[in-house]
C-alpha cells in the first residue's frame, strides 16, 4: 500500500517524442503524479505530441518544455517511455542524447522500458550495464556492450529498465521505489548488476503482438486520404524550400507561357 506522498516535492522529466506508446507514458505518469511528483513532458518540439497504440494513432499530450528549455538541475528523475517511433526519433537527436548523458552523469535515477533503451545505447551509455528491454531490442543492447536479462524489471545503479507494457504493473511499483530512493531498490540493483551473462535470444516474437496486429482493423479510406494529403503537402513544402520562390513560380503550370506573353506585349520603349 502506497502513501500517495512518496514522491512529494520530486520533479520528474518524461522525455518523449511523437510516436510514444500511449500506455507507457500515460500509466507511469499517472502513478507518479498520484504519489505527489511534479511531472514535465520534455520533447523535441513544442505543442502537442502524438501517441500510438502499436502502430495506430492515439491521443496527444502537451509538451511542457522542449529540450532546449529543459535543464538537468530542474529534475530529480528521468523517465523514457518506448514505442517503435518515439525512441527512434530521440536517438537521432543530439540534444536528446546529450540530455540523457548529462542526466546519467549526475547519478540521478533513470527509468525506461520497451524500445526506450535504444536512446541509452545511442548515447553511448550501455557499455558494462545490466538491463532489459523489449526482446526485439536485445541484440542492439548486447552489441552496445550491455548484459541483457529477460526479466520484468532490472535495476543497475541509477537505472531501472523493463520489457514493455506486459510488465506494466511490476514496472510501476519498481518505478515508485526507484524514484523514491528506497533501500530495497538499491539492494536489488546490486544483485542485478552482478550478472554478466545475457539471456539468450527469443525463439519467436510475442504471440500477443502477432495476434493484435492480425485483428487490428484496417485504416478507413478517410484516414488513408488524410495521410496521403499530409504527405503530399509536406513534399510540396520541401520542394518549395529547395527551389526558392523563383523556382517554384517557374515550375507552375502555365507560368512560362504567361511570362512569354508578357514579353511579346511589352511596349517598345520598355524593350531590353
Amino acid at each position: 500500500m502506497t502513501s500517495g506522498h512518496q514522491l512529494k516535492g520530486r520533479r520528474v522529466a518524461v522525455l518523449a517524442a511523437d510516436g510514444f506508446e500511449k500506455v507507457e507514458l500515460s500509466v507511469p505518469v499517472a502513478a507518479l503524479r498520484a504519489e505527489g511528483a511534479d511531472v514535465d513532458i520534455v520533447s523535441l518540439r513544442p505543442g502537442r505530441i502524438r501517441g500510438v497504440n502499436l502502430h495506430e494513432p492515439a491521443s496527444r499530450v502537451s509538451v511542457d518544455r522542449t529540450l532546449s528549455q529543459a535543464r538537468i538541475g530542474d529534475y530529480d528523475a528521468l523517465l523514457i517511455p518506448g514505442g517503435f517511433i518515439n525512441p527512434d526519433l530521440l536517438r537521432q537527436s543530439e540534444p536528446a542524447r546529450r540530455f540523457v548523458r548529462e542526466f546519467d552523469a549526475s547519478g540521478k535515477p533513470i527509468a525506461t522500458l520497451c524500445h526506450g533503451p535504444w536512446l541509452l545505447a545511442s548515447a553511448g551509455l550501455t557499455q558494462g550495464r545490466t538491463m532489459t528491454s523489449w526482446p526485439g531490442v536485445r541484440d542492439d543492447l548486447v552489441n552496445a556492450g550491455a548484459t541483457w536479462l529477460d526479466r520484468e524489471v532490472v535495476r543497475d545503479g541509477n537505472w531501472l529498465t523493463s520489457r514493455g507494457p506486459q510488465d506494466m504493473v511490476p514496472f510501476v511499483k519498481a518505478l515508485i521505489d526507484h524514484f523514491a530512493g528506497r533501500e530495497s531498490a538499491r539492494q536489488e540493483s546490486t544483485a542485478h548488476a552482478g550478472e554478466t551473462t545475457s539471456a539468450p535470444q527469443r525463439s519467436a516474437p510475442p504471440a500477443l503482438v502477432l495476434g493484435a496486429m492480425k485483428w487490428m482493423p484496417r485504416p478507413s479510406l478517410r484516414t488513408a486520404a488524410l495521410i496521403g494529403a499530409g504527405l503530399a503537402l509536406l513534399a510540396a513544402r520541401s520542394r518549395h524550400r529547395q527551389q526558392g520562390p523563383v523556382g517554384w513560380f517557374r515550375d507552375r503550370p502555365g507560368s512560362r507561357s504567361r511570362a512569354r506573353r508578357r514579353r511579346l506585349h511589352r511596349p517598345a520603349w520598355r524593350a531590353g
Side-chain angles (χ1 to χ4, degrees), residues 5-270:
H5 298 91
Q6 296 184 78
L7 300 176
K8 186 175 178 60
R10 303 286 181 96
R11 292 200 66 185
V12 179
V14 178
L15 180 56
D18 289 290
F20 64 88
E21 188 70 33
K22 180 68 175 179
V23 68
E24 294 177 18
L25 185 147
S26 60
V27 172
V29 165
L32 292 170
R33 286 174 172 160
E35 291 294 336
D38 292 322
V39 180
D40 278 351
I41 307 299
V42 179
S43 192
L44 304 175
R45 63 174 181 83
R48 291 167 61 80
I49 54 174
R50 174 74 66 183
V52 297
N53 295 318
L54 288 179
H55 71 293
E56 288 289 301
S59 58
R60 296 181 292 180
V61 298
S62 296
V63 172
D64 297 298
R65 293 188 182 185
T66 62
L67 278 166
S68 63
Q69 298 167 330
R71 299 291 179 266
I72 304 299
D74 293 339
Y75 299 104
D76 303 297
L78 172 64
L79 170 65
I80 308 169
F84 300 115
I85 303 170
N86 161 56
D88 187 63
L89 296 178
L90 291 175
R91 72 189 304 194
Q92 297 178 66
S93 165
E94 172 53 31
R97 296 192 300 267
R98 183 172 58 250
F99 188 80
V100 298
R101 280 195 294 264
E102 293 177 359
F103 215 101
D104 187 57
S106 74
K108 297 176 181 180
I110 297 174
T112 184
L113 70 164
C114 197
H115 290 69
W118 263 345
L119 177 56
L120 300 177
S122 291
L125 300 175
T126 50
Q127 180 70 42
R129 302 303 294 255
T130 302
M131 57 198 306
T132 191
S133 67
W134 185 255
V137 183
R138 176 223 182 253
D139 294 351
D140 296 339
L141 300 180
V142 171
N143 290 334
T147 297
W148 188 86
L149 305 181
D150 195 355
R151 297 183 183 172
E152 293 177 341
V153 293
V154 173
R155 297 179 179 89
D156 179 5
N158 62 321
W159 287 13
L160 172 71
T161 53
S162 185
R163 293 178 301 192
Q166 71 274 26
D167 301 319
M168 187 59 68
V169 172
F171 173 70
V172 168
K173 181 179 182 301
L175 178 70
I176 302 302
D177 289 345
H178 187 60
F179 283 1
R182 290 184 176 277
E183 181 62 30
S184 59
R186 287 193 289 269
Q187 292 174 351
E188 189 171 345
S189 169
T190 302
H192 286 171
E195 302 194 37
T196 58
T197 303
S198 291
Q201 294 173 316
R202 291 282 186 91
S203 58
L208 178 64
V209 175
L210 292 178
M213 296 299 290
K214 177 180 179 181
W215 297 110
M216 188 78 73
R218 67 180 183 180
S220 66
L221 180 61
R222 181 179 63 179
T223 300
L226 288 173
I227 292 174
L231 291 174
L233 178 60
L234 288 174
R237 286 180 175 176
S238 176
R239 187 168 59 250
H240 177 49
R241 286 195 297 268
Q242 292 171 0
Q243 294 176 335
V246 174
W248 175 80
F249 175 79
R250 185 179 59 245
D251 291 342
R252 289 179 63 193
S255 60
R256 294 184 180 181
S257 60
R258 286 194 296 271
R260 182 172 180 272
R261 286 196 298 270
R262 283 196 295 272
R263 287 197 300 271
L264 291 175
H265 291 85
R266 182 180 298 172
W269 59 270
R270 293 187 59 184

